[in-house]
């Protein structure tokens, strides 16, 4: 049974969402395993849960690709419970317009919903967080911080807008110099204010978060390696105000802003060596799972409730030892509702063992 006081998903209804014409699913246990052949819609069901938490897909930015057969729209509806309280969340997208309701009442702003219900997804392509470019890692850290700090979201949106304006000014000034830096001074002032706040938040987050990462990685790997994260940013050794002034000539030459928090990166480390270059596939998978489990624990602490943990196709990605360590973690204290997908129901039953309270949904 569910623990009392948890925000949990009780029911979800999908209409014209990906491969679902119309389907309804009930969740009656803290751990639900969704099984079926490849292409049956297991990942799509997890994505629907994620969408109702964040009003966006985990896998694509295109709403058109989410609608069944590229149609004009889709609808998702879910019943969430928090103790004795119930709330129905409905999200509809049709012909480019998104509508979001809580118990039949429209949200004034979609962003007002963000943070009410949360989920942490672990999917096969998430290894790109380790192997890919810096933009993915910036988006990841931002995705955590916007849930725990409203001001961070505002600062990030303003920073990105002013960055575009400054870049446009640099292009125009480089092509046809005016010698008038009035607009530039305004852009710099705003970038400094919001960029410094973003830097301070990212730095404070990592100082707290790294301890969680180390604990989870040690548990998953048997304590064989030491994990950490290095925050790579120009602001570690200088102020953003000085950096913008010092880089102006280079910025004009390149016609873009070369210094600031939009250039930040994270270096994931195992035994003080970059995971991206030197870790094995098994080590990278362990690091990824530790990264996401630490994210889950951090959000739980800051928000005061457990997110929904969404595990997509994890049994194909981890060896038996790591699977056992992972299941021990999510079956213990500190975790709420968990949804797992796999192609083989027997494999999940064997992994959890007899007597485990696990529900199954077959597709």
């Amino acid at each position: 049974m569910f623990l009392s006081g948890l925000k949990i998903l009780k029911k979800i209804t999908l209409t014209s969402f990906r491969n679902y014409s119309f389907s309804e699913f009930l969740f009656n246990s803290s751990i639900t395993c969704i099984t079926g052949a490849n292409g049956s819609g297991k990942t799509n069901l997890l994505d629907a849960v994620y969408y109702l938490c964040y009003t966006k897909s985990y896998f694509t930015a295109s709403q058109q690709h989410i609608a069944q057969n590229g149609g004009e729209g889709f609808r998702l509806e879910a019943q969430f419970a928090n103790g004795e309280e119930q709330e129905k969340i409905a999200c509809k997208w049709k012909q480019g317009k998104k509508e979001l309701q809580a118990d039949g009442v429209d949200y004034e702003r979609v962003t007002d919903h963000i943070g009410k219900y949360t989920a942490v997804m672990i999917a096969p392509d998430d290894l790109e967080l380790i192997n890919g470019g810096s933009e993915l890692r910036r988006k990841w850290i931002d995705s955590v911080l916007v849930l725990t700090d409203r001001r961070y979201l505002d600062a990030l949106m303003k920073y990105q807008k002013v960055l575009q304006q400054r870049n446009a000014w640099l292009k125009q000034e480089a092509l046809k110099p005016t010698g008038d830096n009035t607009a530039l001074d305004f852009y710099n002032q705003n970038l400094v204010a919001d960029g410094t706040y973003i830097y301070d938040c990212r730095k404070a987050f990592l100082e707290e978060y790294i301890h969680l990462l180390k604990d989870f990685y040690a548990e998953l790997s048997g304590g064989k390696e030491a994990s950490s994260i290095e925050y790579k940013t120009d602001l570690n050794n200088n102020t953003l105000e000085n950096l913008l002034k010092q880089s102006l000539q280079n910025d004009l030459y390149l016609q873009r802003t070369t210094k600031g928090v939009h250039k930040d990166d994270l270096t994931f480390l195992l035994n003080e060596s970059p995971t991206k270059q030197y870790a094995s596939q098994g080590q990278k998978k362990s690091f990824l799972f530790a990264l996401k489990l630490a994210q889950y624990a951090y959000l739980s602490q800051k928000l005061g409730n457990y997110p929904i943990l969404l595990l997509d196709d994890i049994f194909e990605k981890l060896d038996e030892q790591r699977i056992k360590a992972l299941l021990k973690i999510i079956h213990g204290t500190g975790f709420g509702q968990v949804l797992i997908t796999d192609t083989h129901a027997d494999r999940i039953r064997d992994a959890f063992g007899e007597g485990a309270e696990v529900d199954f949904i077959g597709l």
Side-chain angles (χ1 to χ4, degrees), residues 144-242:
V144 179
L145 287 170
V146 298
L147 294 175
T148 59
D149 184 348
R150 284 289 179 182
R151 185 181 168 191
Y152 187 88
L153 176 60
D154 291 338
L156 193 64
M157 293 174 65
K158 288 191 293 182
Y159 182 92
Q160 292 169 344
K161 180 179 179 180
V162 174
L163 180 65
Q164 293 177 344
Q165 293 172 330
R166 188 179 192 271
N167 286 343
W169 182 91
L170 289 168
K171 291 178 182 179
Q172 184 176 351
E173 191 69 14
L175 295 173
K176 190 176 181 181
T178 65
D180 184 359
N181 285 0
T182 303
L184 177 66
D185 292 340
F186 174 78
Y187 299 145
N188 286 357
Q189 181 181 358
N190 283 274
L191 283 182
V192 167
D194 294 317
T196 302
Y197 183 78
I198 292 168
Y199 164 74
D200 289 340
C201 288
R202 289 175 177 175
K203 184 177 180 181
F205 161 73
L206 288 170
E207 288 173 352
E208 186 174 351
Y209 170 86
I210 284 174
H211 298 290
L212 297 170
L213 170 71
K214 289 180 176 180
D215 289 343
F216 280 115
Y217 187 85
E219 199 167 350
L220 286 170
S221 66
K224 295 177 181 179
E225 302 100 10
S227 60
S228 190
I229 301 177
E230 183 179 353
Y231 183 18
K232 308 283 285 188
T233 175
D234 297 317
L235 275 72
N236 278 338
N237 301 309
N238 209 335
T239 66
L240 184 51
E241 183 178 9
N242 287 338

